[in-house]
C-alpha cells in the first residue's frame, strides 16, 4: 500500500474505535442510562455493574483496539499481504459469492472462536489469557473488547485465516467486521433482544443468545460458542440451565 505506515495505523485505530463506540455506546445509553429503571426487571442479571467495572472494560478495550489495529497493519501492509485472496471487482465472482463469502467468514470465525475459547478455559491457560475478560461476571456492552493483550492477539488472528482462505472483496470483509462487533456487543448486553421462546425455535435453538453468553460469564463453564450453538449442542457444552434461564427472563419481559 502507498499509505504511510503512521497514517495507516491512525486510520485503522479510528475505524476500530468507531466500530466499538458506535455499537456499544448507543446500547449502553439506552439500556444502562435512559431505560435503566424502567427495564431493570428485564435485565438478565438484575444487578448492574459498578463504575469500576465499566472503567476496566473500557480500559482493556482501548488496548484491544490498538492490538487489532496493529494486526490490521500486518494484514494490509506487510509481506504477509501477498497471501491475501482479495479481489477488486465484485463482478469477478458475482453478488451470489459476495454474499456467500460473508457467511463463510461468519462460520469460520465461529469455528475458530469455539475451539480457542475452550482452549483458553484450560486451567493452565485461563489466568494468562482469559481471566481479564471473565472479570466481567455481569457484563455490559463495554465488555465486548475487554481482553487481556494476549487474548486480543488470539482474537484478532482470525483475520489471517479469513483473508488467506476465503477470496474476499473489501466490502464483504467490512460487513463481516461490522457484524462481528455488533453481535459481540449484543452478547454482552445484559438484556435479551431475541423474542420470547426463541431458544426453543427450530432455528433459534442453534443461535447463540445474550442469555446464553451471560451464563458463561456468570459461571465460567459451558456455552463456548460465538454466533451459533451448533458445536455446543453437538459436543454437549450447552449449560443445562440455559432453557430455564431463558424462560425465566421471558417471564420478566412479558410482565
Amino acid at each position: 500500500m502507498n499509505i504511510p505506515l503512521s497514517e495507516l495505523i491512525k486510520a485503522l485505530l479510528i475505524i476500530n474505535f468507531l466500530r466499538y463506540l458506535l455499537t456499544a455506546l448507543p446500547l449502553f445509553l439506552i439500556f444502562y442510562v435512559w431505560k435503566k429503571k424502567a427495564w431493570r426487571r428485564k435485565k438478565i442479571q438484575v444487578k448492574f455493574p459498578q463504575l469500576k467495572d465499566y472503567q476496566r472494560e473500557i480500559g482493556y478495550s482501548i488496548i484491544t483496539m490498538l492490538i487489532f489495529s496493529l494486526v490490521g497493519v500486518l494484514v494490509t501492509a506487510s509481506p504477509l499481504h501477498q497471501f491475501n485472496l482479495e479481489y477488486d471487482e465484485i463482478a469477478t465472482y458475482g453478488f451470489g459469492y459476495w454474499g456467500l463469502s460473508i457467511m463463510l467468514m461468519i462460520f469460520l470465525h465461529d469455528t475458530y472462536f469455539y475451539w480457542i475459547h475452550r482452549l483458553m478455559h484450560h486451567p493452565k491457560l485461563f489466568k494468562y489469557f482469559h481471566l481479564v475478560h471473565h472479570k466481567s461476571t455481569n457484563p455490559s456492552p463495554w465488555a465486548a473488547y475487554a481482553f487481556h493483550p494476549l487474548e486480543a492477539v488470539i482474537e484478532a488472528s482470525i483475520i489471517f485465516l479469513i483473508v488467506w482462505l476465503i477470496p474476499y472483496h473489501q466490502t464483504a470483509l467490512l460487513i463481516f467486521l461490522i457484524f462481528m462487533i455488533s453481535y459481540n456487543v449484543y452478547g454482552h448486553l445484559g438484556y435479551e433482544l431475541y423474542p420470547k421462546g426463541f431458544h426453543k425455535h427450530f432455528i433459534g435453538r442453534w443461535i447463540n443468545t445474550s442469555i446464553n453468553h451471560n451464563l458463561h460469564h456468570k459461571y465460567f463453564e459451558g456455552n463456548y460458542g460465538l454466533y451459533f450453538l451448533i458445536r455446543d449442542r453437538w459436543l454437549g457444552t450447552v449449560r443445562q440451565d440455559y432453557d430455564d434461564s431463558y424462560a425465566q427472563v421471558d417471564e420478566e419481559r412479558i410482565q
Side-chain angles (χ1 to χ4, degrees):
M1 297 182 66
N2 296 324
I3 303 175
L5 184 59
S6 60
E7 292 299 316
L8 177 61
I9 294 175
K10 184 187 300 184
L12 289 173
L13 275 172
I14 292 173
I15 291 171
N16 279 307
F17 177 79
L18 288 177
R19 280 198 309 130
Y20 174 72
L21 184 66
L22 295 179
T23 308
L25 180 59
L27 291 177
F28 179 80
L29 291 177
I30 292 171
F31 288 91
Y32 287 73
V33 180
W34 180 36
K35 292 294 185 177
K36 181 177 180 178
K37 292 183 179 179
W39 292 351
R40 186 183 186 93
R41 291 177 57 189
K42 303 177 188 297
K43 194 171 182 298
I44 299 170
Q45 297 185 50
V46 176
K47 184 179 179 181
F48 282 83
Q50 299 178 8
L51 176 60
K52 65 179 182 180
D53 296 312
Y54 301 138
Q55 292 172 335
R56 183 191 66 256
E57 290 171 350
I58 293 172
Y60 277 106
S61 294
I62 291 172
I63 297 173
T64 293
M65 286 185 280
L66 176 60
I67 291 172
F68 278 19
S69 299
L70 294 177
V71 170
V73 171
L74 292 177
V75 170
T76 58
S78 77
L80 295 175
H81 183 264
Q82 64 183 307
F83 300 111
N84 293 7
L85 299 181
E86 181 181 359
Y87 59 92
D88 295 328
E89 300 293 335
I90 293 179
T92 302
Y93 292 96
F95 276 101
Y97 174 77
W98 179 86
L100 176 62
S101 69
I102 298 173
M103 294 305 301
L104 290 174
M105 294 175 195
I106 292 171
F107 276 96
L108 178 60
H109 189 201
D110 188 72
T111 302
Y112 175 86
F113 181 87
Y114 178 86
W115 289 110
I116 63 103
H117 191 188
R118 285 195 68 176
L119 182 62
M120 287 190 295
H121 272 268
H122 189 282
K124 292 185 178 180
L125 300 176
F126 182 79
K127 67 179 180 179
Y128 299 109
F129 290 86
H130 203 40
L131 176 60
V132 163
H133 189 62
H134 267 283
K135 288 184 178 180
S136 299
T137 55
N138 184 15
S140 80
W142 301 117
Y145 272 0
F147 304 133
H148 185 281
L150 291 177
E151 180 175 2
V153 171
I154 293 175
E155 298 286 357
S157 294
I158 180 59
I159 197 66
F160 294 113
L161 292 180
I162 288 174
V163 300
W164 292 346
L165 295 178
I166 301 173
Y168 68 96
H169 189 269
Q170 282 189 352
T171 56
L173 184 61
L174 177 61
I175 289 175
F176 162 74
L177 292 173
I178 293 173
F179 173 81
M180 178 179 71
I181 183 59
S182 299
Y183 212 88
N184 202 349
V185 169
Y186 153 71
H188 297 89
L189 179 60
Y191 290 82
E192 186 53 67
L193 301 183
Y194 281 119
K196 179 179 180 293
F198 183 75
H199 64 305
K200 293 287 190 179
H201 191 270
F202 74 96
I203 293 177
R205 69 186 306 270
W206 302 103
I207 305 297
N208 199 9
T209 64
S210 190
I211 293 172
N212 185 280
H213 195 64
N214 195 280
L215 288 170
H216 175 79
H217 271 265
K218 186 176 180 180
Y219 297 111
F220 289 37
E221 293 183 3
N223 300 355
Y224 298 108
L226 178 58
Y227 308 123
F228 308 108
L229 298 182
I230 297 171
R231 289 163 194 83
D232 275 312
R233 292 205 181 276
W234 285 353
L235 299 173
T237 52
V238 174
R239 290 187 57 85
Q240 293 184 356
D241 55 356
Y242 171 49
D243 286 342
D244 289 341
S245 296
Y246 200 105
Q248 182 178 355
V249 172
D250 275 346
E251 290 181 5
E252 295 295 337
R253 291 196 291 176
I254 63 178
Q255 291 180 8

